[in-house]
Each structure stands twice: as structure tokens, then as C-alpha cells.
Amino acid sequence: MTRARFISPNEVAALRANILSKLTYQVGKDPESALDHDWFMATALATRDYIVDRWMSRTREAYRTGQKRVYYLSLEFLIGRLLIDSLSNLGILEEARRALADLGVDLERIRGLEPDAALGNGGLGRLAACFMESMATLGIASYGYGIRYEHGLFRQVIADGFQQEQPENWLDFGNPWEFERAEVVYEIGFGGHVTPYEGSQLRQVWIPSEKVRAVAYDTPIMGWGGEGANTLRLWRSRPLENIKLDTFNAGDHIGAVADQARAESISRVLYPADSTEAGQELRLRQEYFFVAASLADLTRRHLKQHGDIMSLPEHNAIQLNDTHPAIAVAELMRLLVDVHGVPWNAAWDTTVATLSYTNHTLLPEALETWSVYLMERLLPRHMQIIYMINAQFLDSLRARGETDGSMLSYVSLIDESHGRRVRMGNLAFIGSHKINGVSGLHTELMRKTVFRSMHRLFPDRINNKTNGITFRRWLYQANPALTDLLVDVLGDEVQDDPENVLPRLKPYANDANFRERFAQQRRRNKDQFADLVRKNMDITLDPGAIFDVQIKRIHEYKRQLMNLLQTIALYQAIKNNPNGNWTPRVKIFAGKAAASYHQAKLIIKLANDVAKVVNNDPSIRDLLKVVFLPNYNVSLAEVIIPAADLSEQISTAGLEASGTSNMKFGLNGALTIGTMDGANVEMSERVGEENMFIFGLRADEVEERQRTGGNSSEIINNSPRLSAVMADIRSGHFSPDDPSRYNGLLDVLTWHDRFQVCADFDDYWLAQSRVEERWNQPDRWWSSAVLNTAGMGWFSSDRTIREYATDIWQAL
Ligand code: 26Q
């Protein structure tokens, strides 16, 4: 891709020299014998030099101006690759391309050698990564705090149609972006006992029985335009001592390093589930480990600059990304009361004023709780603090005349109903001055459902912050062809200020010539994507077909199964009428299932079984193809999304908190088929419902059906199409080697269809028919596509972050 943009020859020469010097002196290779990977390392290291200059001046400036610091605590940062991102945000992408070409190296080839930093499961982790980039862009002095997992999210391999999990080793060849800070180390305790502090009632001394060290690794994150940069500080766990020499000398060579292995297991691997499984001890250790290190680090920084712990909330804001870091409420209290000697009530006010909490799910099974027994064993002082907070909280409610016992037991920090468990959501709620949801609908449901009583008690706390995405990665880097087109008609300004400039694209929806150019860039992206599928999977796609895409974690509530049922219905319809006037379609799926999530893994197998039958049925010709792409990750999303015509956002209404890929597709001009769920609702307000294909039960109707509904037999019997599809699956047509393979999935649909697949199926089918009708009127299709891109400006994560900064952090 050549951009008609000014390229600075001086910059090219400087970069070339710098890359060569890194190759020689840091990678230790001669250009003659350097492999592509060596060139990647050299280029990344050269790029990092540019980043470091700006990073240091930003850090100095934040210190000098005393601006408020924002800390984003997240167990997940789903970063992806950084090379193109950094070069593009620095504004030297074309210069780097030229410099490498001069050296005989193709940037497009080496960009693919960078492993994804996959330190997250899905939406929540990717949101944290978009936020880091937006905070840097907006010049907010911010730090992301998390864990430097040695193994990120597992690599998904499809073997005979089944998902297999393989370890992911992103650090094997070194990480050119990070700086190890061997001097930034904190001791983190676990277990042990608590004794009173002399002469004080509430202040205590915790004597842990076990300690590990947290070592900092810093990665600079560049903002747009190369001005702002901030720090992602990830903690690695290390033993206090590497080896017990006396044990070793006594001949116990394994025992001598056993403690080391135990300590290092904390940062070994990301939990590969996107909803809570049974609370595992290692997970709680991870949560406390990174929270304790982060709070120790930020209070040290605060004290060094301001000297007084009581001014913490004036100069710092701490955002908790879901309840995963919620133990911060108790840890901050411990630091204030036990370590700094602050009186309890003042400590509580300080804690609440500093912390805020983002909720990302309402699914009851995904709300985090920990057994009191485990907490007492692992974090005895924190358990005491939680009891104390709870006692004061419940007392204060009774003093306000709130005496309803069932209400009090519902808001209590301790759930007494199935063993005694600490409710992390309630802890995060009462320990925070602001609690936010991630879309308008989700926030409204928070107020009405899980946090109903909390909301009545604290009516000012819950607020909405609809998610956003960084346009730098998801438009400029992922889709240079569309970006060039937008720059051509709207000017360079569209890249600096898309929120205000993109709406100016609206009139172009009526411009036939512009629509043609818009369609052409899509066609080129589809051609490229089809090449990739042919090379990697040996499946030939018709680039003229509708590319119909559902890519996300596999979860029953996201209803990939409903999409597959519709795919089979389409297959049957074509087979029954081979000479009908069919619109060619490619059904594209990708996504990982949690390793222990049986139903989700079966859905992956079904997608692959359906693909096998459909793609090898000669009577279908090229009218329908089904593709399940393995190992979905950020980098794969970056190539699929710009090639998509149709975006599947079909979760059961009320269950997808926001969704963010819906925004990425819309920005790139795909049309959405979706339910009135999460951010789809706000998208429909901004791009116009007539430019989307909305169907299905609304959230309140789902709630009503779930409350009163029995089985789905009647719905199935009344839908010949759905019945035929289910019968076909049950007959073993798609699984001749194991005809009953899908009986479990079908029985759930029939007897407890919690996610309303059957209830929504016919309306989904109708919506898909409207898709074809629109597709066959290209003027209307491409007009809607342009209006999707034009209407997405508001979904920039810059807008989201500005709202956090204004309403929650007071940091702008
Ligand atoms: C918790 C405890 C133990 C193990 C794992 C977990 C865990 C890990 C990850 C629980 C949840 C998650 C991730 C949740 C998530 O990604 N939620 C998504 O967040 C997005 C950003 O706000 C929303 O757009 C999505 O709607 C929401 O599903």
C-alpha cells in the first residue's frame, strides 16, 4: 500500500542507520545472514528508541505539572502486536517501510513475525488495551497495571473439528517492547496470622507465612501523533530466593527449587475462561499478587511526590476492571490503617474516594465470589477487614431505618446461602465512589437487577460509560484502503478528529461514485482475505458472496448455535431448490471456547461438521461456504473485520454487556444483523435502525419468557424450518461417525432454552432474508455501509475515556 503522503528522506536515512545498528549490536547479526525474525527485532528496537524519547519527556512532564494520575487495574490486557501500531502512531510508518525496502526487507513480511501479546480472553482485555492507547492519546498521565503472564491465552488448534488447547509462548524469542525493572520489586505476602498493633484497636499487624517478590516490567504505549505515551506495568512473580542452597547441598535437588516453582506459578498463565469457574486458589493468588504490588507502587510514587497519604484521592484515581482486582478495597484499607496508621473512618473515606469499579457482566454464574474459608487461609487480615467493613456498612443501613432482613442479606458482603462466600461485586460497589456499566442498556439493567438495592441505597454511584474502540488500530492500521479513501474525501483531519469529522461522510452515501469506491476497497480486502483462506485452509471463497461473520468467544449466550441453525436452514433451502435465485454467502466463524466449557466446544465441532458437509456438497456449488478459522486473536480480527459485509451481533437481549467488535465492524462499513442488546442499541440510534437488521426479543421480553416460559416444543413444532434443521442434525447427517453427538445441544434447545434460540429463530431467518434483499440492491446496501462508517465516530474510545476522565476520575 503506497500512501500519497509526504515521506521525510532524513527520517528514512536515520531509521535505516538505526535499524542496521540494532541488528548489528543488539541482535548480533550480520545483514548478510540475518533472518526475517532478526530484522523484526532490529526494527522493533529501533522503533522503541523513538518511543522512549517521548515516553520519558511525558513522564517528566506528568511529574512536573503534578497532574492527576490514573491507574487502570486489570487482570487482562489483550494488546496484540505493537510494531505497526507504534510506527503508525509515531507517524513514521511509510518511512520505516522505505528504510526496510532500502535494506532489502519487506515490512509486510516481518510484521507477521511478531507474536500477539494475548494477555486477555476477549472483550474486557481488549477494552483495557484500547483504553491504554486512548489515555496516551489524550495526554492523561496513566498507568496500566496487570500481570506479565508467561503464557497468554492458549493457542487453539482444530483437530478433526474439535478444539484443542496448546500453550502459547509469546516470550520465547524475547520481547523487544518491554523493560525489566529489576529494582522495582515488592514483597507480597500470603497466609500467616494477625496480631494487634500495640495500643490500638483497629490497627493490626499481619505476619504472612509465605512471601513472593513482584518484579516490574514496563511497556510504553504510544498515543496517536507520537505526543502522548504512558506505561503498562506488568508484574512477574519471583521467589524471595532462587535456590535453597542448604537443601541442595543436602542432596535434595528438586526440593531446593520447589519454592521457586511455587512462587513463579503466580504469573505463569492467564486463566483461559471468560466467565467464572469454581474459584481456584491460584486465581485468588493472582488477583491479590498484582493488586498488592500495584497499590504498593502507586502509594510509593504518591508519597514521594506529595508526602501525605491522605491526599491520595486528590492526585490519583484507581479504576478496577471488573471485580478481578476488587481485593484492592481491603488492601488499600490495610495499607492506610495498618501501615500508615490512618484512623479507620478516614481510611474508608480515602479508599472510596480513590476507587471506582466497572462491571462487565450480569450473568449470575459470572459474578465473582470467594469462599470465606479460602480467604481466611490465604489473606487472613483482608478477611478481617472485609468483616469490619461489612459490619459498619450493615450497621449504617440499620441506623438509616433499613431493617428488611432479606434486603440486608442481599447487599451483605457475605453470601450465606451456599457456604459462606465473599461477594466481590458488593465489595467493589461499596468501596467505590462510582460504579459504571459499559452500555446504556447494561447500566440500566444493573440498576434494575443485580445492583437494585445498592442503587436505591447509593443512587448517585451507578453511571454509564458506553464502550469504545481505538480507531487507530481498528481503522487506520487494519484498513489502510478505507482510511485512504476517507482522507481523500474528508482530509487529514479525519484521522486527528474522527469523532467530529466522520459525520461529514453522511452525504456521500448518496454519491454513486463514492459508493463505488467504498465497495472497491471492500472488494480488495475480501480478495486478500480469500487468498489467506485458500492458502491456510484450502477452501476457495467467492469474493462476490456476502461475507457473513461471527467472530468472538464461543458462549451459549452469544448464540453461535443459532447462526449455525440458520446456516443449515439455508443449506436445506438451496438443496430443495437448486435452481432458485440464491444469493451466494460465506459463513465465517472464529472464536475460542473455555477449555472446560463442554457445550461451547461442541458448538465448535458442529461448525466444523457443518462446514465439511456443506463445502463438499457439489449441488451447493459456490452458493454457500462455511469456514471456521482456528486460533482467533487480535491479529486475525484485524484482517477479517475489513473484509466483512455482515456483522453477527446476535446475543440474547440483555446478556451482552456491550460488545465491542460490533463497533469495529460498523466503523469498517459492515452492516449489523443483531438483537437490541448491549451497544447495538446505541449503534442503532446513531447509524439509524434502517441501516441495520434488528430482530428478536427485547431484553424485557427475554426476562418475561425466562420467568414464565417452559419448554420450546411448541415453538419448534410451529416452525417447520426449525424442526427440519433440528431433525437433520439429530439424524446424524452432519455427524455420521457419531449420530448422537449433538443430542445434548438439541435437548437443551428443546427443554431449557435459557438463551431463547428457538424463540428468536424465525425472526432471525426473516432478518437474514432482509439482508439478501438489501444486498441485491447494491445502491441501498452501500449507502447503508457508508452510513455505518459515518455514524460510528461516537464509538471512539477517546470519547469513552474523556467521559471517565470527566465524570469519574476528575483527571482532565
Ligand atoms: C473470572 C474469575 C475466574 C476466571 C475468569 C474470570 C473472568 C475472566 C474474564 C471473567 C470474565 C472475563 C471477561 C469478561 C468479558 O470479556 N466481558 C466483556 O466485556 C466487554 C468489555 O466491556 C463487553 O463488551 C462484553 O459485552 C463483555 O462480555
Side-chain angles (χ1 to χ4, degrees):
M1 188 69 43
T2 45
R3 296 280 188 99
R5 207 162 290 149
F6 176 72
I7 295 185
S8 153
N10 290 341
E11 205 73 85
V12 174
L15 259 167
R16 198 172 51 221
N18 202 240
I19 293 170
L20 258 185
S21 144
K22 297 290 180 200
L23 183 76
T24 313
Y25 299 107
Q26 275 189 260
V27 183
K29 282 284 182 93
D30 188 305
E32 296 299 308
S33 62
L35 305 175
D36 278 348
H37 190 266
D38 302 321
W39 285 111
F40 160 71
M41 279 306 241
T43 309
L45 292 169
T47 307
R48 195 178 73 171
D49 285 357
Y50 285 76
I51 300 175
V52 167
D53 290 336
R54 286 150 178 90
W55 187 33
M56 288 185 174
S57 65
R58 274 299 300 147
T59 308
R60 269 197 302 271
E61 187 182 306
Y63 202 86
R64 189 174 46 75
T65 59
Q67 89 192 89
K68 194 163 183 174
R69 291 199 177 84
V70 172
Y71 293 102
Y72 200 80
L73 267 59
S74 178
L75 220 36
E76 305 195 5
F77 288 92
L78 190 43
I79 302 277
R81 292 177 177 148
L82 282 175
L83 180 60
I84 299 298
D85 184 64
S86 306
L87 288 170
S88 171
N89 274 3
L90 285 163
I92 54 170
L93 179 58
E94 295 314 314
E95 282 79 359
R97 194 187 304 282
R98 185 72 63 83
L100 282 166
D102 291 350
L103 293 162
V105 178
D106 179 7
L107 175 61
E108 289 309 305
R109 208 173 65 232
I110 65 166
R111 75 186 282 185
L113 297 177
E114 179 176 359
D116 270 40
L119 309 184
N121 274 289
L124 165 151
R126 183 55 233 175
L127 186 74
C130 284
F131 281 4
M132 288 300 295
E133 200 262 10
S134 278
M135 289 191 288
T137 296
L138 295 178
I140 294 175
S142 47
Y143 289 75
Y145 275 126
I147 293 180
R148 180 181 176 275
Y149 301 107
E150 199 174 315
H151 304 284
L153 188 59
F154 65 85
R155 202 156 58 83
Q156 178 193 55
V157 173
I158 303 296
D160 186 29
F162 288 103
Q163 165 174 301
Q164 284 179 357
E165 302 86 30
Q166 295 191 349
E168 185 282 337
N169 300 305
W170 69 300
L171 294 171
D172 270 4
F173 295 95
N175 175 0
W177 305 112
E178 71 183 5
F179 293 89
E180 181 181 344
R181 306 294 191 201
E183 77 290 2
V184 183
V185 188
Y186 298 93
E187 286 191 4
I188 310 299
F190 293 98
H193 64 279
V194 179
T195 60
Y197 187 90
E198 219 178 298
S200 167
Q201 264 212 317
L202 292 171
R203 190 173 183 180
Q204 303 276 321
V205 180
W206 174 30
I207 298 149
S209 56
E210 183 191 346
K211 280 186 177 176
V212 302
R213 293 188 305 151
V215 181
Y217 286 71
D218 288 349
T219 301
I221 304 289
M222 281 308 305
W224 173 246
E227 289 298 320
N230 60 26
T231 305
L232 176 59
R233 174 160 280 186
L234 301 178
W235 301 103
R236 176 181 185 193
S237 58
R238 303 285 290 169
L240 281 196
E241 47 184 19
N242 286 324
I243 181 164
K244 285 191 173 143
L245 259 191
D246 46 354
T247 314
F248 185 87
N249 292 337
D252 181 2
H253 301 157
I254 304 283
V257 292
D259 287 355
Q260 177 188 7
R262 181 174 162 81
E264 294 195 330
S265 68
I266 295 177
S267 60
R268 187 87 71 205
V269 52
L270 168 79
Y271 266 79
D274 63 352
S275 57
T276 320
E277 300 169 81
Q280 306 256 345
E281 176 172 342
L282 181 61
R283 169 81 182 189
L284 184 57
R285 287 165 71 89
Q286 288 186 334
E287 294 186 354
Y288 178 65
F289 166 77
F290 103 101
V291 163
S294 306
L295 293 184
D297 195 46
L298 72 89
T299 50
R300 178 199 50 83
R301 188 175 298 110
H302 172 77
L303 285 174
K304 185 170 149 223
Q305 182 161 9
H306 300 283
D308 170 21
I309 196 69
M310 295 311 290
S311 65
L312 194 70
E314 197 183 313
H315 300 287
N316 304 277
I318 300 175
Q319 189 71 35
L320 307 178
N321 198 19
D322 215 291
T323 54
H324 315 158
I327 194 66
V329 175
E331 174 67 2
L332 190 50
M333 284 300 286
R334 188 186 71 84
L335 290 177
L336 292 167
V337 173
D338 293 358
V339 179
H340 297 284
V342 177
W344 182 276
N345 289 337
W348 182 246
D349 293 344
T350 305
T351 296
V352 173
T354 308
L355 298 178
S356 46
Y357 151 56
T358 305
N359 172 281
H360 297 265
T361 184
L362 303 171
L363 274 183
E365 65 266 38
L367 297 175
E368 232 183 339
T369 63
W370 290 107
S371 91
V372 166
Y373 165 78
L374 176 61
M375 277 265 191
E376 270 167 352
R377 186 159 58 77
L378 211 59
L379 300 169
R381 176 56 179 146
H382 298 79
M383 196 59 239
Q384 279 186 347
I385 290 172
I386 290 168
Y387 278 136
M388 185 69 196
I389 294 170
N390 201 34
Q392 291 211 335
F393 169 57
L394 296 177
D395 282 350
S396 75
L397 295 186
R398 288 187 202 100
R400 277 164 61 172
E402 300 282 353
T403 50
D404 174 356
S406 76
M407 190 279 290
L408 291 175
S409 73
Y410 188 76
V411 297
S412 168
L413 300 189
I414 311 295
D415 179 356
E416 318 254 359
S417 60
H418 3 42
R420 288 157 53 79
R421 303 186 67 87
V422 182
R423 293 183 173 125
M424 302 309 271
N426 287 3
L427 177 63
F429 193 111
I430 71 169
S432 297
H433 64 289
K434 292 284 173 189
I435 294 89
N436 74 284
V438 289
S439 74
L441 175 65
H442 166 64
T443 301
E444 210 35 58
L445 291 172
M446 278 171 72
R447 293 188 178 116
K448 285 195 193 136
T449 62
V450 263
F451 292 123
R452 186 191 160 87
S453 298
M454 287 291 197
H455 177 54
R456 191 175 57 76
L457 299 168
F458 303 98
D460 312 327
R461 286 200 187 179
I462 298 184
N463 69 106
N464 178 242
K465 294 287 164 278
T466 300
N467 283 166
I469 57 173
T470 168
F471 290 11
R472 272 77 65 175
R473 182 177 290 267
W474 296 108
L475 179 60
Y476 316 165
Q477 294 156 35
N479 198 347
L482 177 55
T483 307
D484 282 351
L485 179 59
L486 296 173
V487 168
D488 193 49
V489 299
L490 300 172
D492 282 331
E493 216 192 331
V494 71
Q495 284 193 275
D496 296 326
D497 188 13
E499 294 166 61
N500 286 306
V501 178
L502 266 184
R504 292 184 208 150
L505 193 66
K506 286 195 178 128
Y508 288 88
N510 301 317
D511 176 339
N513 179 270
F514 181 80
R515 286 198 305 261
E516 180 56 32
R517 295 173 71 193
F518 198 94
Q520 272 168 10
Q521 58 80 21
R522 171 78 49 76
R523 178 57 189 254
R524 277 199 300 275
N525 293 336
K526 288 170 75 174
D527 286 341
Q528 279 174 18
F529 177 69
D531 282 346
L532 185 103
V533 171
R534 189 177 319 108
K535 271 198 217 102
N536 294 346
M537 310 195 63
D538 200 24
I539 299 176
T540 303
L541 306 182
D542 166 11
I546 303 177
F547 281 16
D548 171 343
V549 183
Q550 187 171 22
I551 51 174
K552 47 182 81 252
R553 285 299 287 249
I554 313 292
H555 212 295
E556 285 162 287
Y557 83 80
K558 294 179 190 281
R559 299 199 292 191
Q560 282 94 352
L561 181 55
M562 188 168 75
N563 189 348
L564 286 167
L565 299 180
Q566 191 264 339
T567 305
I568 295 171
L570 195 55
Y571 169 66
Q572 293 180 339
I574 298 172
K575 263 189 104 64
N576 291 338
N577 180 11
N579 298 317
N581 184 21
W582 301 107
T583 302
R585 241 191 230 250
V586 180
K587 285 279 189 180
I588 296 162
F589 296 88
K592 294 177 181 175
S596 57
Y597 191 169
H598 180 254
Q599 300 290 81
K601 291 180 116 171
L602 210 48
I603 291 170
I604 292 177
K605 175 62 174 165
L606 179 60
N608 285 299
D609 275 349
V610 171
K612 190 148 98 190
V613 170
V614 171
N615 298 348
N616 293 306
D617 185 333
S619 69
I620 297 300
R621 290 161 293 149
D622 256 359
L623 293 173
L624 179 62
K625 282 273 158 76
V626 181
V627 184
F628 185 95
L629 291 148
N631 202 34
Y632 180 56
N633 61 12
V634 171
S635 293
L636 190 56
E638 289 168 7
V639 294
I640 299 178
I641 291 169
D645 297 306
L646 186 66
S647 158
E648 298 269 356
Q649 307 298 338
I650 58 176
S651 51
T652 314
L655 296 184
E656 189 69 271
S658 161
T660 43
S661 76
N662 45 2
M663 303 167 190
K664 295 164 195 168
F665 282 104
L667 181 63
N668 281 278
L671 274 57
T672 300
I673 182 165
T675 47
M676 276 298 192
D677 199 14
N680 297 353
V681 177
E682 286 147 276
M683 282 173 59
S684 76
E685 287 161 8
R686 283 164 199 276
V687 307
E689 211 176 311
E690 65 285 5
N691 297 305
M692 296 170 67
F693 305 97
I694 300 288
F695 70 93
L697 298 169
R698 308 302 190 219
D700 51 344
E701 295 166 331
V702 167
E703 206 266 331
E704 166 82 15
R705 279 193 62 86
Q706 285 180 337
R707 224 164 1 96
T708 59
N711 67 55
S712 312
S713 315
E714 204 180 310
I715 298 178
I716 298 169
N717 291 335
N718 287 330
S719 169
R721 191 168 277 115
L722 180 57
S723 306
V725 170
M726 291 177 72
D728 206 10
I729 300 175
R730 212 179 269 280
S731 78
H733 183 175
F734 302 97
S735 54
D737 55 324
D738 179 7
S740 61
R741 177 175 295 141
Y742 299 111
N743 286 359
L745 282 181
L746 297 169
D747 290 344
V748 169
L749 291 188
T750 311
W751 303 113
H752 15 248
D753 185 14
R754 206 184 144 197
F755 300 111
Q756 310 301 332
V757 170
C758 296
D760 273 347
F761 179 81
D762 278 339
D763 203 25
Y764 179 50
W765 174 269
L766 283 177
Q768 290 285 15
S769 310
R770 297 206 302 275
V771 168
E772 295 188 0
E773 196 188 321
R774 180 83 52 99
W775 178 260
N776 291 315
Q777 298 167 267
D779 289 355
R780 290 191 62 213
W781 180 276
W782 293 105
S783 159
S784 289
V786 171
L787 290 174
N788 267 270
T789 299
M792 291 303 296
W794 188 76
F795 296 93
S796 164
S797 45
D798 296 355
R799 185 271 312 156
T800 312
I801 287 297
R802 236 181 270 116
E803 291 183 5
Y804 276 92
T806 314
D807 303 341
I808 301 179
W809 303 331
Q810 267 76 51
L812 263 186

